Amino acid sequence: MQYIDMETLKYLLFEVQDTERVLEFPRHEAFDKEAINMLLDSVKDFGDQDLYPIFKEMDENPARYEDGTIVTHPKLGELMRKAAELGLISDTFDEKFGGMQVPYTAHTAMGLILDAANNQAPGYWLLTQGAADLIVHFGSEELQQTYVPNMMAGEWGGTMALTEPQAGSSLSDIKTSATPQEDGSYKIKGHKIFISGGDHQHVDNIVHLLLARIDGAPTGTKGISLFVVPKNRITPDGLVPNDVITAGDFEKMGQKGYCTTHLVFGDKDDCKAWLVGEPHQGLKYMFKMMNGARIDVGRGANAITHAAYHASLKYANERPQGRPIQNAGKKDASQEPVLIINHPDVRRMLLLQKAIAEASTSLIFEAALYHDIEMNSQDPEEKGKYHLLLELLTPIVKTYPSEMGRIAVNNGLQVLGGYGFCSDFILQQYYRDIRIFSIYEGTTGIQSIDLLGRKLTMEQGKAMKLLAGEMKNVIEDAMAIEELRPYGKQLLEKLELNKEVMTYLMNFAMKGDYQRFLSDATIFMEFFGTIIIGWQWLKIAVKAKQSLLTGDNSHKVDFFQSKIHTMKFFYKYEMPRTTGLAEILTDETVLTLPNEEEVFA
Amino acid sequence: MQYIDMETLKYLLFEVQDTERVLEFPRHEAFDKEAINMLLDSVKDFGDQDLYPIFKEMDENPARYEDGTIVTHPKLGELMRKAAELGLISDTFDEKFGGMQVPYTAHTAMGLILDAANNQAPGYWLLTQGAADLIVHFGSEELQQTYVPNMMAGEWGGTMALTEPQAGSSLSDIKTSATPQEDGSYKIKGHKIFISGGDHQHVDNIVHLLLARIDGAPTGTKGISLFVVPKNRITPDGLVPNDVITAGDFEKMGQKGYCTTHLVFGDKDDCKAWLVGEPHQGLKYMFKMMNGARIDVGRGANAITHAAYHASLKYANERPQGRPIQNAGKKDASQEPVLIINHPDVRRMLLLQKAIAEASTSLIFEAALYHDIEMNSQDPEEKGKYHLLLELLTPIVKTYPSEMGRIAVNNGLQVLGGYGFCSDFILQQYYRDIRIFSIYEGTTGIQSIDLLGRKLTMEQGKAMKLLAGEMKNVIEDAMAIEELRPYGKQLLEKLELNKEVMTYLMNFAMKGDYQRFLSDATIFMEFFGTIIIGWQWLKIAVKAKQSLLTGDNSHKVDFFQSKIHTMKFFYKYEMPRTTGLAEILTDETVLTLPNEEEVFA
């Protein structure tokens, strides 16, 4: 099933991004390129056989609240166990936890395939993995032994329980309380909402990694602790309910098969919890995982973008409609209609999707690679470098695939005309599903403030200097190839433009006017993200052109040429938009800061 | 209920657009401004009492196919009769048909209110009106007497039956056949799909205005005729089935309460039809109505944009979350959270919606006004002028509110964060509903080719010269007011930029390379549409500023100032995007024309 192009995925992973470099680290030495590719193929088989076939069903029969629990797709339990057997829940974990010690780059590629096949089902076990990861990193030996094995087996679920009704984007307002007990445990009281995978009928237990405030803790983010709160307590007599009540499931516009629960903890004063790590360090622990979680969100959106692209490409290759415009500007109605892929506007809509989908994947892999190097490197300088690069890229990796992916999918739907709007075709589901990704794990507004207000300024702009260095390496390579020189030049100009914009904006920060500095952060994200994707496309095109020049026959000539063509498309149709965006960003008019004026009158 | 701001609507209708001018024509002399405003208020009451209350229900209980017919919302029949009583089906019709002879501008304002209250229910009677309008304009006296009265009474429905499975955007491929009978009638055979309001339980009969090909007719668009095909034939013994079978209802992502049917005509060779007007003139008749139909689509999208804006504005004024960024770049967690309307990014998202919604309305009213002048004027030159202006504006009036309205609604949803994605909140419905408007009545791609390939070139570019004249009038007014001068100047520069882009593109047409000329038509639409909306905002701001300068107290000072503020917002955040778009349009690289290259490899 063509929801993702495996050839391109592997090309981006191993040819464009140097993932083999990671396989040299001792932790991953069991793997070579071939082993990773085999893993990817087995994941694709799983997607073809098990995930894609129930994708539409999950939308048409949404998760629903029934008798105090959530009823999800009947096959979900089977899938979780199969995912566990394939090693997909424990893939990145240490061997001592039954893991494969797969690098995060490979894990990300696997996740991309899974999400493209079905952007909902894998969430159940990937969140379980994330929850177990927190226990493994920060929890006691006892917590690890108690919870991790069943989670790895797909027998128990796991969640991240952060959001509360009054604390969405603003985690400092978390109110859920934790009261110390004599036995060293805590009692939890509070409401959590929007908890993905928060409850369902297919697991014996659900392990919530929950943020709460220990009685007397400082206000704000510094007083938040992380707890393990199981739905059922483990006792010598077996599992006993732990006063975690499922109060409801949020019905949603998309991702309908992926439940989003409202949980009530401690309504009967009998909800026990165990502290993870030190008190008041909860947000710090959570944020250690946050880069990964945000990359995963970008990956999820990107997966949908690939799937939508391939669905619309297939349609365009099968649907006859209309005729080419003749040179006189007329059409000849006596001719047979052509396939719509021959219409320039349809080609533009397809190429835009391809341009957004493939370079986003490349960027996601680049970030995953940085993560792997940071985690594995023994060289403090290298570690520091990739840490900074990853910090800088993360908000973009989360946001570009989500925001531009939505625009790509919108183009995919449009390719189908009226059928795109109809439930019989899959595009409308992708269109609905992808909408949440600009909200998940910090909205676009939050990511943009993080990018401009924190990442670009940290350590006196060191991350940006490092990133510019990475970009200049690619530009240098491009400059050495005649066909690519104009694009290298263009990227260099955009880097200069970015410097001008940054200088203009930083001026406000230096004057202490942070509100103004950050007021157009979202526009800056659009601007900077486009340049970053331009960098990725140039990187892809350099590789492809080098292969063509050296007669590399690992792929067909068409394959390499289509990459170069899509790069040119991006440089024609997307990069120039940054000119207008730079104008907006350096316009001195202030129109969005709150003041006495009634601007919405 | 605040799904539309009536003060703004009336302001745009009577102060910004000179609708009173139309009321001087003999046809409309029964109306003055006050009478129109009373009509608008009564429509708002209808919306508040009857339409808005069932809006969400219509989504949650979609129209469905059952036992050979379509079951729609139980109240729909009552609503159609009430709409008839209020004169909403016959409003624009001659008095002899029971109509009020309401000008199209006022009709458009009424429709905007109706659609904002409920973008689905009014479609049933507005399409009935459109079908009756075709009969009135082109049908015989007998057809008029037979069908129009029951349609006006809301007892019978009406549809436009154009699309066929193999003929979506390409009407020249229509295959439905019409075989002449001895009694002067025809027998119809064929399938029609995507027929809005094609069948439902609340009317005794449905009158299809159907395009078909008389046996032996020329191929292409020149062989298409227009017919009246009732679901039930009128006989002395009453209504008798006319072999029109409802084969199904298309399930859709949005507008779920507005049925979209598949109809089979003449499966038993017993489907009788009556020719409207002359043979082979069907498409010409249809296109006489098409400007109106396209403006109506723009209006529908614009109505949703208003409703979404007000829903998100209300939320932003009620939801506390987060704190302002202090001058040191920090937040003070001990402060109470502020209402999110105080966050610059939220204000930006709200102002973008307001900027798109209000100027689109102004543009729609401007087009409606042109229509009224063209229809009523006795001066051939004036008639010709407004005909050309309307022809030029129509594709933009259809497209800008649909494409940019979608982006506006997307911002509205984002204002609500996670709740925006949840079915308990209305934003997600607006988000789904508005998606069809870029497809209805000619997709954005089709409209864009119409704009660039036909409208801008017709009569040696005369329409564009006339439009530039209209725009320069506004620029001149702006130049006379110090505060507005920079914006007048900017619009003038954009007009110049447009000239440069047009010159560049026309060059391809003159060389006969129409494929290249039109290949980026959709980008041109984005470019040109933005400038047109810039013109509308300047027009609104000129009026508002003139009122402030003359101490006009017909509205509050805040009201006028908010219009000027929103104009400035548009000129800061939207107009500069045209710089990048012009770069794209004048880039010489050719990347979307079909050739031998496998660009999707």
Side-chain angles (χ1 to χ4, degrees):
Chain A
M1 268 143 264
Q2 191 68 340
Y3 42 82
I4 196 158
D5 172 18
M6 292 293 286
E7 186 179 2
T8 291
L9 180 139
K10 291 175 182 174
Y11 180 71
L12 295 172
L13 187 65
F14 283 115
E15 314 302 321
V16 177
Q17 303 300 341
D18 184 15
T19 296
E20 274 178 286
R21 171 177 178 182
V22 169
L23 304 182
E24 285 163 20
F25 289 118
R27 180 176 173 80
H28 306 304
E29 67 192 358
F31 292 97
D32 58 12
K33 180 177 163 183
E34 202 184 343
I36 300 286
N37 279 336
M38 277 175 61
L39 251 182
L40 296 177
D41 291 336
S42 71
V43 169
K44 179 69 165 52
D45 288 343
F46 181 40
D48 288 357
Q49 287 159 23
D50 295 292
L51 296 175
Y52 189 77
I54 63 159
F55 175 53
K56 207 160 186 295
E57 286 172 23
M58 290 184 75
D59 182 64
E60 288 165 357
N61 305 291
R64 63 182 190 281
Y65 182 64
E66 221 173 84
D67 301 328
T69 186
I70 311 289
V71 180
T72 57
H73 193 281
K75 281 213 177 147
L76 187 64
E78 191 187 319
L79 287 179
M80 281 191 71
R81 259 68 83 187
K82 189 158 176 188
E85 274 166 38
L86 288 166
L88 297 180
I89 309 186
S90 60
D91 60 351
T92 57
F93 282 53
D94 287 359
E95 281 170 6
K96 70 167 172 168
F97 295 106
M100 289 192 276
Q101 303 190 172
V102 163
Y104 182 61
T105 34
H107 167 82
T108 301
M110 289 154 71
L112 190 67
I113 301 166
L114 294 170
D115 288 344
N118 183 325
N119 69 66
Q120 301 173 30
Y124 288 97
W125 69 77
L126 290 171
L127 257 186
T128 302
Q129 180 177 35
D133 213 18
L134 273 173
I135 299 176
V136 163
H137 271 83
F138 306 110
S140 66
E141 190 75 23
E142 198 189 332
L143 284 177
Q144 292 175 9
Q145 281 168 7
T146 310
Y147 294 100
V148 175
N150 276 319
M151 294 169 85
M152 293 298 98
E155 300 291 340
W156 291 1
T159 80
M160 306 288 191
L162 283 70
T163 304
E164 299 179 6
Q166 79 296 345
S169 293
S170 174
L171 288 175
S172 63
D173 288 315
I174 281 176
K175 273 197 223 163
T176 295
S177 65
T179 307
Q181 305 296 303
E182 288 189 357
D183 65 355
S185 71
Y186 291 78
K187 276 202 172 170
I188 299 289
K189 216 173 169 60
H191 283 246
K192 293 286 178 181
I193 60 166
F194 295 161
I195 308 307
S196 298
D199 194 14
H200 58 92
Q201 79 275 36
H202 296 294
V203 287
D204 302 327
N205 204 359
I206 303 214
V207 184
H208 304 290
L209 273 285
L210 174 140
L211 292 181
R213 212 175 273 287
I214 298 173
D215 297 347
T219 56
T221 52
K222 292 198 171 66
I224 295 172
S225 304
L226 180 64
F227 296 89
V228 164
V229 192
K231 180 183 176 184
N232 296 302
R233 287 201 287 267
I234 298 98
T235 75
D237 306 326
L239 295 173
V240 170
N242 189 35
D243 193 14
V244 178
I245 298 165
T246 303
D249 185 52
F250 289 88
E251 285 180 36
K252 312 182 303 290
M253 168 179 96
Q255 290 212 319
K256 293 185 181 190
Y258 189 31
C259 67
T260 306
T261 63
H262 176 180
L263 301 175
V264 181
F265 294 87
D267 188 50
K268 298 183 216 115
D269 267 330
D270 187 32
C271 178
K272 285 189 89 165
W274 289 268
L275 185 68
V276 177
E278 301 293 313
H280 314 325
Q281 302 297 311
L283 219 57
K284 206 179 83 186
Y285 299 152
M286 211 38 117
F287 270 88
K288 282 246 169 158
M289 297 287 134
M290 203 51 105
N291 274 349
R294 287 177 170 176
I295 294 171
D296 293 351
V297 171
R299 182 199 74 201
N302 182 229
I304 297 174
T305 308
H306 279 286
Y309 165 58
H310 286 290
S312 65
L313 179 61
K314 182 166 185 285
Y315 184 88
N317 270 313
E318 291 171 355
R319 168 78 173 170
Q321 185 85 174
R323 286 142 192 97
I325 297 167
Q326 311 281 314
N327 280 348
K330 301 284 173 203
K331 296 174 181 184
D332 180 357
S334 69
Q335 277 186 357
E336 281 298 299
V338 297
L339 295 175
I340 63 169
I341 197 162
N342 292 295
H343 298 309
D345 198 47
V346 171
R347 295 174 85 77
R348 185 187 57 75
M349 291 191 283
L350 291 168
L351 279 165
L352 181 63
Q353 294 178 73
K354 185 175 164 74
I356 291 170
E358 295 186 359
S360 295
T361 301
S362 184
L363 178 67
I364 291 163
F365 288 167
E366 178 124 23
L369 191 67
Y370 292 173
H371 177 89
D372 277 331
I373 300 173
E374 184 195 350
M375 285 295 132
N376 286 284
S377 175
Q378 299 302 314
D379 173 357
E381 197 181 324
E382 187 180 56
K383 219 176 170 72
K385 172 183 168 181
Y386 287 99
H387 170 75
L388 281 176
L389 280 170
L390 180 61
E391 286 285 311
L392 178 55
L393 280 195
T394 297
I396 306 160
V397 172
K398 195 262 155 178
T399 305
Y400 188 93
S402 301
E403 290 285 339
M404 292 305 294
R406 189 183 65 242
I407 288 171
V409 175
N410 180 59
N411 276 271
L413 189 154
Q414 189 76 7
V415 166
L416 274 73
Y419 288 116
F421 196 64
C422 291
S423 307
D424 279 348
F425 291 79
I426 200 70
L427 266 301
Q428 51 78 33
Q429 186 180 342
Y430 293 132
Y431 185 77
R432 289 181 289 107
D433 288 345
I434 200 172
R435 183 58 187 85
I436 187 61
F437 288 81
S438 305
I439 297 168
Y440 270 153
E441 298 295 344
T443 63
T444 295
I446 302 276
Q447 300 298 330
S448 302
I449 286 175
D450 181 50
L451 172 65
L452 182 60
R454 220 166 67 81
K455 301 305 175 60
L456 281 167
T457 54
M458 64 186 179
E459 300 191 20
Q460 289 80 47
K462 191 170 169 195
M464 184 60 220
K465 280 191 203 94
L466 290 168
L467 184 64
E470 297 295 308
M471 293 170 78
K472 279 175 184 158
N473 289 342
V474 173
I475 292 170
E476 211 168 281
D477 289 346
M479 291 299 201
I481 302 170
E482 197 186 340
E483 188 183 357
L484 303 185
R485 205 166 296 148
Y487 305 97
K489 214 171 135 251
Q490 204 184 128
L491 184 58
L492 199 61
E493 285 164 9
K494 294 299 176 190
L495 258 180
E496 276 307 308
L497 183 63
N498 179 59
K499 206 181 262 177
E500 285 167 34
V501 168
M502 280 294 299
T503 306
Y504 180 85
L505 293 177
M506 285 304 298
N507 206 30
F508 295 106
M510 286 190 294
K511 284 189 294 190
D513 188 357
Y514 269 74
Q515 269 221 335
R516 175 66 186 86
F517 171 48
L518 296 175
S519 62
D520 290 333
T522 302
I523 307 287
F524 180 78
M525 173 66 88
E526 191 181 345
F527 168 76
F528 194 65
T530 305
I531 297 172
I532 290 295
I533 294 296
W535 161 48
Q536 288 302 314
W537 265 119
L538 195 61
K539 190 166 185 169
I540 297 168
V542 162
K543 275 287 161 190
K545 189 70 196 179
Q546 285 171 348
S547 289
L548 285 172
L549 291 172
T550 58
D552 169 8
N553 56 11
S554 60
H555 301 268
K556 284 191 191 160
V557 168
D558 276 351
F559 178 87
F560 293 125
Q561 276 175 343
S562 92
K563 299 300 177 228
I564 297 168
H565 190 92
T566 314
M567 177 278 290
K568 290 180 181 173
F569 179 90
F570 191 86
Y571 274 77
K572 170 168 176 175
Y573 288 92
E574 289 298 306
M575 286 292 262
R577 292 180 190 262
T578 54
T579 315
L581 294 169
E583 271 185 48
I584 297 173
L585 288 164
T586 54
D587 184 311
E588 63 188 7
T589 332
V590 175
L591 297 163
T592 56
L593 298 191
N595 57 22
E596 296 309 301
E597 230 184 300
E598 248 310 327
V599 299
F600 301 105
Chain B
M1 270 143 261
Q2 191 68 339
Y3 42 81
I4 195 158
D5 171 17
M6 292 294 287
E7 185 180 2
T8 291
L9 180 140
K10 290 175 182 174
Y11 181 71
L12 296 171
L13 187 65
F14 283 115
E15 315 301 322
V16 177
Q17 303 299 341
D18 184 16
T19 296
E20 274 179 285
R21 171 177 179 182
V22 169
L23 304 181
E24 284 163 21
F25 289 119
R27 180 177 173 80
H28 305 306
E29 65 191 359
F31 291 97
D32 57 12
K33 180 177 162 183
E34 201 185 343
I36 300 285
N37 279 337
M38 277 175 61
L39 252 181
L40 296 177
D41 291 336
S42 71
V43 169
K44 179 68 165 52
D45 288 342
F46 182 40
D48 289 355
Q49 286 158 24
D50 296 293
L51 297 175
Y52 190 77
I54 63 161
F55 176 53
K56 206 158 187 292
E57 285 173 23
M58 290 183 76
D59 182 64
E60 288 165 358
N61 305 292
R64 63 184 192 279
Y65 182 64
E66 222 173 83
D67 301 328
T69 186
I70 311 288
V71 180
T72 57
H73 193 281
K75 282 214 176 146
L76 188 65
E78 191 187 319
L79 286 180
M80 282 191 70
R81 257 69 82 185
K82 189 159 177 188
E85 274 165 39
L86 288 168
L88 297 180
I89 309 186
S90 60
D91 61 349
T92 56
F93 282 53
D94 287 357
E95 281 169 7
K96 70 167 172 169
F97 294 107
M100 287 191 277
Q101 302 191 171
V102 163
Y104 182 60
T105 35
H107 168 81
T108 300
M110 289 154 71
L112 189 67
I113 301 166
L114 294 170
D115 288 345
N118 184 324
N119 69 64
Q120 302 175 28
Y124 288 97
W125 68 77
L126 290 171
L127 256 186
T128 302
Q129 179 178 35
D133 212 19
L134 274 173
I135 300 177
V136 163
H137 272 83
F138 307 109
S140 65
E141 189 75 23
E142 197 189 333
L143 284 177
Q144 292 176 8
Q145 280 167 9
T146 310
Y147 294 100
V148 176
N150 276 318
M151 294 169 87
M152 293 298 98
E155 299 290 341
W156 292 3
T159 81
M160 305 287 191
L162 283 69
T163 304
E164 298 179 6
Q166 80 294 345
S169 294
S170 174
L171 289 174
S172 64
D173 288 313
I174 280 175
K175 273 197 219 162
T176 295
S177 65
T179 307
Q181 305 297 301
E182 288 189 356
D183 65 356
S185 72
Y186 291 78
K187 275 203 172 168
I188 299 291
K189 218 176 167 57
H191 284 245
K192 293 287 178 180
I193 60 166
F194 295 160
I195 308 308
S196 298
D199 194 13
H200 58 93
Q201 80 274 34
H202 296 293
V203 289
D204 301 328
N205 205 0
I206 303 216
V207 185
H208 304 290
L209 274 285
L210 174 141
L211 292 181
R213 213 175 272 287
I214 298 172
D215 297 350
T219 56
T221 51
K222 291 197 171 66
I224 295 172
S225 304
L226 180 64
F227 295 90
V228 163
V229 192
K231 178 182 176 185
N232 296 301
R233 288 201 287 266
I234 297 98
T235 74
D237 306 326
L239 295 173
V240 170
N242 187 35
D243 194 14
V244 179
I245 297 166
T246 304
D249 185 52
F250 289 89
E251 285 179 37
K252 313 183 302 290
M253 168 179 95
Q255 290 212 317
K256 294 185 179 189
Y258 190 31
C259 68
T260 307
T261 63
H262 176 181
L263 301 174
V264 181
F265 295 86
D267 188 52
K268 298 183 214 113
D269 266 332
D270 187 31
C271 178
K272 284 190 88 165
W274 289 267
L275 185 68
V276 177
E278 302 291 314
H280 314 325
Q281 302 297 310
L283 220 57
K284 206 178 84 187
Y285 300 152
M286 213 37 117
F287 269 89
K288 282 245 168 158
M289 296 287 134
M290 203 50 105
N291 274 349
R294 287 176 171 176
I295 293 171
D296 293 350
V297 171
R299 182 200 73 202
N302 182 227
I304 296 174
T305 309
H306 279 286
Y309 164 57
H310 286 290
S312 65
L313 179 61
K314 183 167 184 287
Y315 183 87
N317 271 312
E318 291 171 355
R319 168 77 173 169
Q321 186 86 172
R323 285 142 193 97
I325 297 167
Q326 310 281 316
N327 280 348
K330 300 285 173 202
K331 295 175 183 184
D332 179 358
S334 68
Q335 278 187 356
E336 281 299 298
V338 297
L339 295 175
I340 62 170
I341 196 163
N342 292 296
H343 298 310
D345 199 48
V346 171
R347 296 174 83 77
R348 186 189 56 76
M349 291 192 281
L350 291 169
L351 279 165
L352 181 62
Q353 293 179 72
K354 184 175 164 74
I356 292 170
E358 295 186 358
S360 294
T361 301
S362 183
L363 178 68
I364 291 163
F365 288 166
E366 177 125 21
L369 191 68
Y370 291 174
H371 177 89
D372 277 330
I373 300 173
E374 183 195 350
M375 285 297 133
N376 285 284
S377 174
Q378 299 303 312
D379 172 358
E381 197 182 320
E382 186 179 59
K383 220 178 169 71
K385 172 183 168 182
Y386 286 100
H387 170 75
L388 282 176
L389 280 171
L390 179 61
E391 286 285 311
L392 177 56
L393 280 195
T394 298
I396 306 160
V397 171
K398 196 260 153 181
T399 304
Y400 188 92
S402 301
E403 290 286 340
M404 293 304 295
R406 191 183 64 243
I407 287 171
V409 175
N410 179 59
N411 277 270
L413 191 154
Q414 189 77 9
V415 167
L416 275 71
Y419 289 116
F421 197 64
C422 292
S423 307
D424 280 347
F425 291 79
I426 200 71
L427 266 301
Q428 51 78 33
Q429 186 180 343
Y430 292 131
Y431 186 77
R432 290 181 287 107
D433 287 346
I434 200 171
R435 184 59 187 84
I436 187 62
F437 288 81
S438 306
I439 297 167
Y440 270 153
E441 299 295 344
T443 63
T444 294
I446 302 275
Q447 300 299 331
S448 302
I449 288 176
D450 180 50
L451 172 66
L452 182 60
R454 221 166 65 82
K455 301 304 175 60
L456 282 167
T457 54
M458 64 184 177
E459 300 191 22
Q460 288 81 47
K462 191 170 168 196
M464 184 60 219
K465 280 192 203 93
L466 289 168
L467 183 65
E470 296 294 308
M471 292 170 79
K472 279 176 184 157
N473 290 342
V474 173
I475 292 170
E476 211 168 281
D477 289 345
M479 290 299 200
I481 302 170
E482 198 186 339
E483 188 183 357
L484 304 185
R485 205 166 294 147
Y487 305 98
K489 213 170 137 251
Q490 203 184 129
L491 185 58
L492 198 63
E493 285 163 10
K494 294 300 175 189
L495 258 179
E496 275 307 308
L497 183 62
N498 179 59
K499 206 181 260 177
E500 284 167 34
V501 168
M502 281 294 300
T503 306
Y504 180 85
L505 293 176
M506 285 305 298
N507 205 29
F508 295 107
M510 287 191 292
K511 285 189 295 190
D513 188 356
Y514 268 75
Q515 270 220 334
R516 175 64 186 88
F517 171 46
L518 296 175
S519 62
D520 290 333
T522 302
I523 308 286
F524 181 78
M525 173 66 88
E526 192 182 343
F527 168 75
F528 193 66
T530 306
I531 297 173
I532 289 296
I533 293 295
W535 162 47
Q536 288 301 315
W537 264 120
L538 195 60
K539 191 167 183 166
I540 297 168
V542 163
K543 275 286 162 192
K545 189 69 196 178
Q546 284 171 348
S547 289
L548 285 173
L549 291 172
T550 58
D552 170 7
N553 56 11
S554 61
H555 301 270
K556 284 191 191 158
V557 168
D558 276 350
F559 178 86
F560 292 125
Q561 275 175 345
S562 91
K563 298 301 176 225
I564 297 168
H565 190 92
T566 313
M567 177 279 290
K568 290 180 182 172
F569 180 90
F570 191 85
Y571 275 76
K572 170 168 177 176
Y573 288 93
E574 289 298 307
M575 287 293 263
R577 293 180 189 262
T578 54
T579 314
L581 295 169
E583 270 185 48
I584 298 173
L585 288 164
T586 55
D587 184 310
E588 63 189 5
T589 331
V590 175
L591 297 163
T592 55
L593 298 189
N595 58 22
E596 296 309 301
E597 227 184 300
E598 248 310 327
V599 298
F600 301 105

